[in-house]
Structures are given as structure tokens and as C-alpha cells.
């Protein structure tokens, strides 16, 4: 595995004996997941998806992406939750690889946002991708209504058909019915994969292929993680190490996990992680509250609370060995700011010292922490990272005794909103 997990700053909080005592529960969670005998087993299609996905399908998707790019200035991706955040996170992470600008809609109900977006898009050659697994979610459904009208005013019917792509359930849902009726191109979302686990299905891969992202690389990385995160040996399986540490910290009252990155390109991966972990664990009165920070920016705001606030927090740092681009700090004759000590060095050198200092200071302040290090910002690494987190949350959910693959609580607000809307 190219991704590394460092647990040095858990010392004094978790002992080798704690891991040893947890082993029978980890082994049971492992068996339940791999044999599909645990809770929510019908939604574990993501587990062997990378190895099942054929290269030929990925090549077709890549060619399809090129075909769309030949006739578009930009892509508008409509969707929310699992049908949105992974796409946006991938584009931010892989910003250097993106070949087509991508805009997003349907992830909020803000009129102002949509008004300004459509204004920006009015003179551009536009392709629209609507993603909704259920095909019935309010936010993307309403955005699509408005955008469909905008597209109808912009394009003749035959051209319109080529410019709207629907990704949804193969048989049911309103979006499927609309696509069938209007003759829009469609891609199916796997039945056995929940929204938050769907970034490596057509829900994520189709818009990413259109944006010019190396979708084959993403899946190749996920395949590698699939192999390595399937091993029962705790000393070799970092997904299980991460799940076990999170569980043991939770049993000590560390009920908040802060995922802190020192790299802007991972701030939306943190958002993706929040949905994955929050929706998977937060049920039956249980679950770690996942939150995230962007350092060093947030060290100047939330740093105080982490260093000296209530000791119910643990932290996971997300850092990169290679930041991707150099930015050398110049030598200054006057040296008024006294920073000639780092003249000639890359800014990332300072960033890495900031990380080391923060991890040490927070540990000494009573915040146990781990570090996930990725080697670089490429598609393979991102595919690995996604699969690593998916596997970790599944095992952690089983350790907690919850079904990590459902989200019954999400319905509560919807039912009340529908009542208010008279729907
Ligand atoms: O993880 C989930 O299931 C949710 O966040 C969904 O992804 C989100 O509600 C969007 O659902 P849909 O794709 O059905 O429109």
C-alpha cells in the first residue's frame, strides 16, 4: 500500500494489549463483511467493485469523456450527498489533471446560487449530467427542472438529447422515467452500493471521465487497496488499524474526530470523508462526530480549542509526501522578517514542519493523533484513499454494532419538509 498510517502519537492512549483484546471482534467484523453475513450486507457491492470492474469499461468511459469534451466548454453536474461530494473532492484533489471546467448544482436549495450559475453558463456550450441513485431527491430534482428549461431554451430537441446524461437506478425513480420519456442517455448506478460508497461507480466515474480525469488510474489504485485491505493480519492492514484505533479511542470518550489536512487539495476529500463516516456510524445513539479542519489556516482559529479545550477529541492528519509543485522562498538581503533561515527552500518544507509541530503539540496537549500520508496527488493514490476509508468505516461500523450501510435518519427532515410543501 502506498498510503501510510502513523500511530506514534497514540502512545499512552492505546496499548498493544488493547489491540490484542480487540482482535476477536475485528476478526468477526472481517468475516461478517467478507462473507456478507453482517448488517446491511445487501449494500456491500463496493467491496469487490474495483476488481470486478473491467478495463474495457473504463476505456469506453474514457473515450466517452473525450467525445463529450469535443462538443462542450463545460460540464454541469447535478446531484447531492453521495451523488455530488466525491466528484467535487476528486476534481479538487486532481486539479492538475482536469481538462474541462465542471460546475455543480442540486447540492443546495439556494436561488441566488443557481441564478448566478445559470448567468455564468448562458453563453457556454454545456453538457449536463444529472446524478441521483433514487431518482427522487428534492434538491437535484428541482435543480434539474430549472436547468432542463434553461437547456430547452438554449438547444433544439435533437441537440438537447445529446447534452443531457442521466445517472440513476436502472429501472425505477422519477429520473429514470424522465430519461426514458425524453430519450436522454443514461448510465445505471449499482443497486448494491449506497450513495456515500458510490464515487467509484458510474455516479462518480462518468462525470470524472468527462472532466478528463484518469478513471482507470482511480480504479487501479482502488484495486490495490482492495487487495491490501482484505488481509486479516492487523500488522499489514492499515484500514483495520485505523478502524481499531478509532474504536478504542471512542470507548475512552473521544467522541469527536478531527480530520486535519495541511493540503488545500484535500479539503473536499475531508467533506467526502465526513459524509462517509457520519452517515455510516451515526445511528442507534452511537458514533464518532467527524469534523474537519484545513491547516495551517484553521490553526489560527480552531487551534486554541484543539490544544486546550475539552479533551473529547482525537485527530487524524492527512498529509502528502509530494505536494506536486515547488514554490521556492527567495533570499532577502534585508531579512527584516528573519526568514532567511528558510530561503531557498520549498514552501512545502515549512508546511511539513508546521505539521510535525502541530502533531506534537496537540499530542502533548492531550489529543491523541494519527497521520495518514499519501505519496502524491494522482488518480491511483486517490482511488486507494477512497477504498481505504470505505473499508475502515465498514469495519468500524461492525465493531460499533451498527449497520454502516443504511441512513434511516436522513428521512426525518424530508418527511417534515414534504408536509410543509404539501407534496
Ligand atoms: O449516502 C447517501 O445515500 C445520500 O447521501 C445520498 O447520496 C443523497 O441523499 C443523494 O441521493 P440520490 O443519489 O438518491 O439522489
Amino acid at each position: 500500500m502506498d498510503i501510510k498510517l502513523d500511530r506514534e502519537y497514540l502512545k499512552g492512549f492505546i496499548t498493544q494489549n488493547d489491540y490484542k483484546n480487540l482482535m476477536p471482534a475485528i476478526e468477526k467484523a472481517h468475516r461478517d463483511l467478507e462473507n456478507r453475513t453482517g448488517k446491511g450486507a445487501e449494500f456491500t457491492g463496493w467491496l469487490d467493485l474495483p476488481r470486478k470492474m473491467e478495463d474495457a469499461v473504463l476505456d469506453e468511459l474514457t473515450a466517452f469523456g473525450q467525445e463529450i469534451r469535443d462538443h462542450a466548454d463545460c460540464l454541469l453536474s447535478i446531484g447531492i450527498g453521495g451523488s455530488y461530494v466525491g466528484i467535487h473532492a476528486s476534481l479538487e484533489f486532481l486539479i492538475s489533471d482536469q481538462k474541462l471546467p465542471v460546475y455543480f448544482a442540486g447540492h443546495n436549495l439556494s436561488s441566488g446560487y443557481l441564478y448566478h450559475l445559470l448567468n455564468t453558463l448562458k453563453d457556454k456550450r454545456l453538457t449536463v449530467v444529472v446524478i441521483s441513485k433514487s431518482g427522487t431527491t428534492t434538491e437535484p430534482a428541482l435543480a434539474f427542472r430549472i436547468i432542463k428549461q434553461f437547456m430547452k431554451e438554449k438547444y433544439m430537441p435533437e441537440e438537447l438529447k445529446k447534452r443531457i446524461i442521466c445517472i440513476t437506478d436502472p429501472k425505477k425513480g422519477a429520473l429514470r422515467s424522465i430519461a426514458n420519456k425524453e430519450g436522454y442517455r443514461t448510465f445505471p448506478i449499482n443497486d448494491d452500493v449506497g450513495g456515500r460508497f458510490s464515487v467509484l461507480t458510474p455516479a462518480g466515474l462518468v462525470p470524472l471521465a468527462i472532466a478528463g480525469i484518469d478513471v482507470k488510474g482511480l480504479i487501479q489504485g482502488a484495486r490495490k487497496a482492495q487487495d491490501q485491505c482484505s488481509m486479516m493480519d492487523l500488522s499489514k492492514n492499515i484500514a483495520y488499524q485505523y478502524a481499531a484505533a478509532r474504536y478504542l479511542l471512542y470507548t475512552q470518550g473521544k467522541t469527536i474526530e478531527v480530520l486535519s489536512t495541511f493540503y488545500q487539495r484535500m479539503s473536499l476529500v475531508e467533506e467526502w470523508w465526513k459524509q462517509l463516516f457520519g452517515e455510516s456510524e451515526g445511528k442507534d445513539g452511537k458514533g464518532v462526530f467527524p469534523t474537519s479542519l484545513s491547516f495551517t489556516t484553521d490553526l489560527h482559529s480552531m487551534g486554541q480549542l484543539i490544544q486546550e479545550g475539552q479533551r473529547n477529541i482525537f485527530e487524524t492528519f492527512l498529509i502528502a509526501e509530494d505536494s506536486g509543485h515547488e514554490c521556492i522562498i527567495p533570499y532577502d538581503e534585508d531579512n527584516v522578517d528573519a526568514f532567511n533561515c528558510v530561503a531557498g527552500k520549498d514552501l512545502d518544507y515549512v508546511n511539513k514542519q508546521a505539521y510535525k509541530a502541530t502533531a506534537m503539540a496537540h499530542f502533548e496537549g492531550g489529543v491523541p493523533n494519527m497521520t495518514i500520508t499519501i505519496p502524491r496527488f494522482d488518480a491511483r493514490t486517490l482511488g486507494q484513499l477512497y477504498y481505504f476509508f470505505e473499508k475502515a468505516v465498514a469495519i468500524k461500523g461492525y465493531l460499533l454494532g451498527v449497520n454502516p450501510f443504511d441512513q434511516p435518519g436522513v428521512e426525518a427532515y424530508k418527511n417534515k419538509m414534504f408536509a410543509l410543501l404539501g407534496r
Side-chain angles (χ1 to χ4, degrees), residues 80-83 131-135 137 140 195-196 275 279 407 414:
I80 195 167
S83 297
I131 311 152
S132 179
K133 182 168 189 266
S134 63
T137 308
R196 60 190 172 276
Q275 183 193 356
E279 258 184 359
Q407 56 286 326
K414 290 186 192 169

Side-chain angles (χ1 to χ4, degrees), residues 79-84 131-141 167-168 189 193-198 203 275 279 405-407 410-411 414:
I80 195 167
S83 297
Y84 155 68
I131 311 152
S132 179
K133 182 168 189 266
S134 63
T136 56
T137 308
T138 306
E139 292 88 340
I167 307 173
T168 188
I189 303 188
V193 182
R196 60 190 172 276
F197 289 83
S198 71
Q275 183 193 356
E279 258 184 359
F405 309 115
D406 67 0
Q407 56 286 326
V410 177
E411 295 310 308
K414 290 186 192 169

